[in-house]
């Protein structure tokens, strides 16, 4: 079974600050981590390999330093890693990012592709399903449990607002996973040593055969008009008392504001 796990390197959100003048993230000096949902995707890939055999390849598109995220995934036990890094990819929106990832996944001939539910910085949750669309394969999102897997099908539980769905799909398939799925393992010392020495393949535009019109800024239909931090409003009132008293006070307040 050829399993590809897509991982994104993200800034550690606990450390993120915004430049108030430009409205952009201050990345300097901010530590980077593997997107937390992708840790669960890696763990899922490793558990599937342990169950049915095969190979786990971790794949990331990003700047050269994204190699660190791939090494961390190798330390956890992934077999192989590919970094998609090229100036031509810069400025890619989710569409162009998904296009690049799908080209690489085609080259890797994956049977199962696993993504996190969403990235904690971009937060769109678009990339997984978009990659599946580019590959023209089914996808199942919000996986909380993998019930069964065989050479040509998979049965999973998809988390819903109330309960879960049981969904079965043929392979190849793309899954996006939630934190409830598993507990990511810690890397072993042996894994860390091996990851340090591992050779990480680096692919650019030519290696995946991507058209320049489909990648980077040129291939991105999204146009960002403005980025700003939400205004902090200070006119708040905290209601005190029992829940009943708070409800009465809230109703009075809403009447005063002519909302009721
Ligand atoms: C106009 C525009 C220009 C942009 N320019 C840049 C830029 O120059 N540099 C930049 O870093 N970002 C840029 N971005 C942001 C970039 O497009 C998104 O970060 C990226 O598409 C992923 O979207 P997301 O963070 O919402 O991921 P989500 O869709 O929330 O991620 C879901 C899952 O997809 C997978 N995934 C997502 N991204 C990657 C990745 N890169 N590699 C592997 N797997 C991944 C992971 O498994 C992740 O859990 C730009 C966005 C726009 C709109």
């Amino acid at each position: 079974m050829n399993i590809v796990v897509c991982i994104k390197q993200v800034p550690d959100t606990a450390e993120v600050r915004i430049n108030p003048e430009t409205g952009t993230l201050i990345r300097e000096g901010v530590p980077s981590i593997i997107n937390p949902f992708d840790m669960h995707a890696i763990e899922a890939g490793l558990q599937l390999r342990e169950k049915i055999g095969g190979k786990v390849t971790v794949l990331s598109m990003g700047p050269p330093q994204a190699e660190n995220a791939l090494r961390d995934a190798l330390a956890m036990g992934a077999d192989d890693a590919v970094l998609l890094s090229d100036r031509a990819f810069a400025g890619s929106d989710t569409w162009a990012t998904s296009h690049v990832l799908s080209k690489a996944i085609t080259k890797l001939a994956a049977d199962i592709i696993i993504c996190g539910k969403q990235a904690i910085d971009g937060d769109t949750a678009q990339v997984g399903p978009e990659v599946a669309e580019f590959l023209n394969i089914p996808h199942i999102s919000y996986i909380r449990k993998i019930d069964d897997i065989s050479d040509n099908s998979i049965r999973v539980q998809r988390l819903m607002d109330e309960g879960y769905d049981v969904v079965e799909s043929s392979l190849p398939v793309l899954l996006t996973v939630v934190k409830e799925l598993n507990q990511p393992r810690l890397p072993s010392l042996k894994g860390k040593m091996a990851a340090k020495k591992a050779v990480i393949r680096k692919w650019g535009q030519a290696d995946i055969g991507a058209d320049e019109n489909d990648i980077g800024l040129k291939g991105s239909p999204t146009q960002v008009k403005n980025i700003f931090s939400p205004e902090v409003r200070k006119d708040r009132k905290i209601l005190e008392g029992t829940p009943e008293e708070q409800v009465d006070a809230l109703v009075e307040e809403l009447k005063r504001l002519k909302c009721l």
Side-chain angles (χ1 to χ4, degrees):
M1 191 72 60
N2 211 354
I3 302 160
V4 171
V5 182
C6 296
I7 65 170
K8 183 180 181 190
Q9 191 182 47
V10 296
D12 191 341
T13 44
E15 305 279 343
V16 165
R17 284 168 300 137
I18 304 276
N19 179 331
E21 273 154 34
T22 60
T24 53
L25 285 184
I26 301 171
R27 290 182 188 264
E28 290 77 36
V30 177
S32 294
I33 53 170
I34 296 178
N35 177 43
F37 290 102
D38 303 352
M39 294 293 287
H40 297 269
I42 298 167
E43 180 61 36
L46 297 176
Q47 287 186 14
L48 280 176
R49 182 192 64 190
E50 282 156 10
K51 199 164 178 190
I52 48 165
K55 177 180 170 184
V56 176
T57 303
V58 278
L59 176 67
S60 189
M61 172 176 144
Q65 58 268 31
E67 189 178 319
N68 296 333
L70 291 169
R71 285 198 193 279
D72 288 347
L74 288 171
M76 283 172 73
D79 302 285
D80 196 6
V82 177
L83 174 63
L84 297 163
S85 201
D86 192 321
R87 281 190 177 279
F89 300 154
S92 292
D93 67 0
T94 56
W95 198 93
T97 301
S98 305
H99 183 71
V100 170
L101 290 173
S102 66
K103 283 284 194 182
I105 291 165
T106 303
K107 191 166 166 172
L108 291 166
D111 301 299
I112 299 182
I113 303 115
I114 313 176
C115 292
K117 177 185 80 148
Q118 68 196 87
I120 58 165
D121 55 350
D123 232 12
T124 66
Q126 290 174 1
V127 169
E130 277 181 354
V131 167
E133 288 303 307
F134 276 117
L135 294 170
N136 200 20
I137 60 169
H139 81 267
I140 314 170
S141 43
Y142 304 110
I143 305 303
R144 62 158 226 177
K145 190 163 187 278
I146 298 176
D147 281 336
D148 198 20
I149 171 95
S150 71
D151 283 345
N152 45 30
S153 76
I154 190 163
R155 195 175 69 244
V156 297
Q157 294 180 15
R158 172 172 55 199
L159 187 66
M160 302 299 287
D161 278 345
E162 288 172 22
Y164 62 91
D165 292 337
V166 176
V167 185
E168 198 165 321
S169 171
S170 56
L171 303 185
V173 68
L174 185 143
L175 313 175
T176 80
V177 304
V178 295
K179 291 182 177 175
E180 288 77 358
L181 177 63
N182 55 38
Q183 179 64 42
R185 67 192 66 186
L186 291 171
S188 63
L189 185 61
K190 198 172 147 215
K192 280 187 185 171
M193 304 284 278
K196 255 190 187 172
K197 289 193 226 139
V199 177
I200 293 187
R201 286 183 282 167
K202 295 183 184 72
W203 290 350
Q205 177 190 353
D207 300 299
I208 56 170
D211 189 309
E212 61 169 3
N213 294 310
D214 295 328
I215 58 174
L217 258 188
K218 213 171 170 183
S220 296
T222 318
Q223 289 175 10
V224 180
K225 295 279 183 206
N226 189 13
I227 298 177
F228 58 93
S229 305
E231 197 186 321
V232 181
R233 299 189 54 185
K234 295 202 172 114
D235 53 342
R236 296 189 209 130
K237 193 168 175 181
I238 296 180
L239 302 174
E240 310 275 351
T242 63
E244 289 76 16
E245 285 164 351
Q246 289 181 40
V247 169
D248 289 345
L250 178 63
V251 170
E252 283 312 309
E253 191 63 23
L254 290 173
K255 279 184 185 161
R256 191 182 67 76
L257 294 168
K258 303 206 182 333
C259 294
L260 282 182

